[in-house]
Amino acid sequence: MTALFALLLLVACGGGEGGGGDAPDTGAATDDVGVGDVESPDSGGGGALSARVALQFEPGEGRAILVEVALAWEGAEAPPMNTWIDALEVTAAYGVLDELSEVSPGRYRATLLPPEEDEAGDIWTGEIPVTARVVVSGEVVAEQRRVPLVLPFRMEGLGQPEAVPGLVNTPGMEDSPEVSPDGELIIIGSYSPVDLGYCQVQGTAVDAVGCNHNTYDPSARPDMFGAARIVDGETIVHAIDSLGYDPSTFPTPIATPPVASFGFRRQPDGSYAEPFVLGGDAEGYTWNQTYGYTFDPVVAGRVFFSFNEISDTPDTLNDMWQVDMVVGEVNRFGYYEEGELRGWQGVRVPIADPTSVCGEAACEYGNPNITAERLWFDNERQTDDIFFVDVTRDAQGVAVAFSPPARAAFSQAERGETMPHWHGGFLYYMCGQSVCRSRLLEGADPRLDASWEPEQELLSGTTRIPWQLKGGRSGRVVATSEPSVADVEVDGEVQTWLHFGYIMQVHYGAGDLDFGGNWNMGRVRIRDGWSKRGDDGRLRSPGR
């Protein structure tokens, strides 16, 4: 009990220092529960009251996480909070929470200490679902759930990483995530209700458990291309009629779990919902989907993405395309019939001399990022380098011409850099298993080494134990990737948020082939002033 309120402030934790064993919370870990106002019983103050609770997180000292809880209530004659709220409960799935303290009226704070090590002897990393509840007369009248992330490394100056809340993340795969420049939209380029890592570990066999076990929820992924092939949670039909593919007659059959792209709208509470599908309709054919979306900052509603048109002869691998989309509607950019692409709306980005990028005509043009004057991209799965072309736009702002490609000078062939994203004078990108950035000097030529300031490592998933079945804990973070940055207006304040992908290792059983990964999307705030030249402060977790 606090000194100021006749109010039980209960802080609890579950899982303890051990981290809760091998089973990670890979369900709707970022969903809000009871979003919006919930009426409480009459308080005697002249009418029913409406309560709301909100969670946010800040980094504390070392690995500590500051958990901040805000309460709000509405009513014609709202009495003091302690006269009608029985309890404010805050629980965390892992680690230790200390006692809540009052920061100001209606605002409270507690410190969450994540476990230091897991049972495998590695640094403890992963999601920690935190729930805040307001209890009145024994009933929960307001509740919110948010999920801070513990990563092996976070650069000093960043806020506390967390999973993106709402419908974006599922137990399936959310790969190739991208946020719009204003933060109002998110696109997941590659969603599947199947853990494709698990499927590939099991050899992509049609009858493999890992290629059929799925968590498809049509309410969270409506109108998904290929959803009709999902029979139940353990069975998928791998034949694709529109491509003429039947694994029972194909000489080298492979599994084809459905994959599709989905967009989401930002909600008033900062979560994302209202999912809508977009891309080419090949009945969710796994190995040939649109991905790597980026929002054109000049032409509203226009997106760029990567896609391999499989009926191309000869096969040119992934090309970059641009197309207009309609938010909130089914965006079917084209469809396959008898193995041929029909009604395709995409306009191919012509890249001159692919040999300068890939050394051969068949070139992977992946993960584009469009700015007003330049298009950045990579050749992922080839040399894993970053390239760019300058863009010429017509009177309507449409990108109509592109210069010959050139490699960004900082891109190191021996390490690999992919998934570029430009924001505020910096190029963000994946570097190994980390997210990095480099500043390009104003007006400088990206092809020259002297044009780039020293690289900064922002986030990392690198841990002591390599990503393997019996080498680490299920639920630990093993990689960070796919950076994108948004300037989001929150309560009249513009905040800059770095969004990123992260992968958690998942164990499905004791067998050598019973493991995979859960691809999710996270975010972390970039504080004002942190992006100034020369800021290279670092905060490392113990053991690195």
Side-chain angles (χ1 to χ4, degrees), residues 59 76-77 94 117 140 183-184 324 347 381 407 428 435 485:
E77 299 179 25
Y94 307 116
E117 287 192 347
V140 176
E184 291 301 310
D324 293 326
V347 176
R381 294 183 295 273
R407 186 176 67 87
Y428 294 75
V435 170
V485 184

Side-chain angles (χ1 to χ4, degrees), residues 220-251:
R221 298 292 187 269
D223 307 306
M224 180 180 178
F225 304 140
R229 299 193 289 113
I230 302 173
V231 178
D232 54 40
E234 302 298 332
T235 310
I236 291 174
V237 174
H238 294 279
I240 299 180
D241 294 340
S242 62
L243 298 179
Y245 171 67
D246 183 349
S248 67
T249 60
F250 203 70

Side-chain angles (χ1 to χ4, degrees), residues 521-534:
M521 186 181 192
R523 65 185 183 187
V524 61
R525 187 175 176 186
I526 299 176
R527 294 296 184 185
D528 291 341
W530 180 69
S531 296
K532 291 180 180 178
R533 187 187 305 270

